[in-house]
Amino acid sequence: MTADINKDEAFTQFLLRMGDNTLILGHRVSEWCGHAPVLEEDIALANTALDMIGQTQMWLGLAAEVQGDGKSADDLAFLRDAWDFRNVLLCEVPNGDFGRTLMRKFLFDAWHSIQLGRLMKSSDERVAAIAEKASKEVAYHLERSADTVVGLGDGTEESHRRMQESLNYLWPYVGEMFQSDAVDAEMAAAGIAPDPASLREEYDALVSRVLSDATLTIPESRFAHKGGRTGAMHTEHLGHLLTQMQWLQRAYPGAKW
């Protein structure tokens, strides 16, 4: 993103970032449908994925409206290529085992809950309305993922080991959620969204409290993978995910239920 990006372009990019995060992570969570370790978790994960796809519909629907070129939320979800997506890399990496899936979900939910809390005060009424609606769902998502992380982290020797390994693997992806660029500066100046960096202190306090209860150790390294939210670089995993998610519309353009 260049420093001279205008407000409409920045607004569109911000909305794509919000919508792509929930779309891609929602798809990842949905991959557990029929495969979770117990029926209750299977249903809970499927419902969580549906919540996130519903949030995607609102964010991408508004992005299409702001773009003003006749596209729909479905067009943005199913007809863009990998390099046009703006989700953070944390959302696109493969699920791994059940523990890694819930650890990733917790690390995202913690950020998501704080972000939506700030967005409820957005100067743009449409953004504030979406944030208010989504925040009710995300409050449950965070409670559930945090409780599961604590239960597994402070559970058996095996579950603790797996959760620590999951945290070690995922932690380098956390930092990208707090990196700022010209889009964020424009949104902050307009009062539409907060500077991502301003969320880090509250995030660290929340995450540290939960992981302490889970008897897990946060890695000391502050190294952060980046490139997803700017579109500069995605992992190979996003392309594979999109071949599944977009297959129907690619094979049968314009197909409708």
Side-chain angles (χ1 to χ4, degrees):
M1 296 301 162
T2 58
D4 60 351
I5 187 171
N6 66 47
K7 181 179 176 181
D8 286 344
E9 291 173 337
F11 192 25
T12 298
Q13 290 298 313
F14 163 73
L15 294 169
L16 290 175
R17 289 172 178 181
M18 293 299 296
D20 288 349
N21 280 337
T22 51
L23 173 62
I24 299 304
L25 186 52
H27 183 86
R28 279 295 186 214
V29 174
S30 77
E31 292 174 349
W32 276 97
C33 188
H35 300 282
V38 294
L39 181 59
E40 182 178 357
E41 289 297 333
D42 199 288
I43 295 172
L45 287 169
N47 285 334
T48 298
L50 284 172
D51 286 343
M52 299 187 79
I53 299 305
Q55 294 162 20
T56 298
Q57 183 74 34
M58 293 187 288
W59 290 121
L60 294 189
L62 182 53
E65 178 184 325
V66 172
Q67 284 183 324
D69 55 6
K71 293 181 180 178
S72 66
D74 283 354
D75 292 329
L76 293 177
F78 298 122
L79 300 179
R80 282 182 296 154
D81 290 314
W83 48 82
D84 295 319
F85 277 76
R86 296 294 181 264
N87 57 281
V88 293
L89 301 178
L90 176 68
C91 294
E92 69 190 50
V93 294
N95 286 323
D97 63 18
F98 180 74
R100 183 182 291 183
T101 296
L102 269 295
M103 178 61 75
R104 187 245 300 270
K105 193 68 172 64
F106 166 66
L107 295 174
F108 179 82
D109 290 343
W111 170 84
H112 204 194
S113 67
I114 297 169
Q115 171 81 335
L116 292 175
R118 302 286 183 89
L119 292 180
M120 288 169 64
K121 302 175 184 178
S122 174
S123 61
D124 188 287
E125 294 181 354
R126 298 166 297 179
V127 170
I130 294 173
E132 182 174 5
K133 183 174 183 180
S135 66
K136 297 179 176 65
E137 297 171 336
V138 173
Y140 165 72
H141 295 177
L142 176 59
E143 178 182 4
R144 182 178 175 280
S145 62
D147 286 349
T148 306
V149 165
V150 171
L152 293 175
D154 193 28
T156 66
E157 181 178 345
E158 173 71 8
S159 68
H160 175 85
R161 179 185 64 79
R162 289 191 178 215
M163 294 306 284
Q164 186 63 59
E165 289 177 352
S166 297
L167 178 59
N168 294 344
Y169 174 79
L170 294 168
W171 191 252
Y173 291 96
V174 167
E176 186 184 11
M177 296 187 288
F178 305 98
Q179 294 174 348
S180 303
D181 62 6
V183 170
D184 302 303
E186 187 68 38
M187 291 297 93
I192 292 175
D195 179 349
S198 70
L199 309 181
R200 188 67 197 248
E201 184 176 356
E202 185 176 354
Y203 179 88
D204 283 346
L206 190 164
V207 168
S208 294
R209 184 173 65 253
V210 172
L211 294 180
S212 176
D213 290 343
T215 68
L216 298 171
T217 302
I218 296 176
E220 294 182 1
S221 174
R222 282 284 182 165
F223 169 78
H225 294 292
K226 60 183 180 180
R229 70 192 304 269
T230 63
M233 182 177 67
H234 283 283
T235 68
E236 64 181 284
H237 307 298
L238 179 62
H240 295 304
L241 182 153
L242 293 179
T243 61
Q244 294 181 331
M245 189 183 79
Q246 297 180 336
W247 179 83
L248 182 63
Q249 279 296 327
R250 297 288 191 172
Y252 303 97
K256 299 181 182 301
W257 287 106

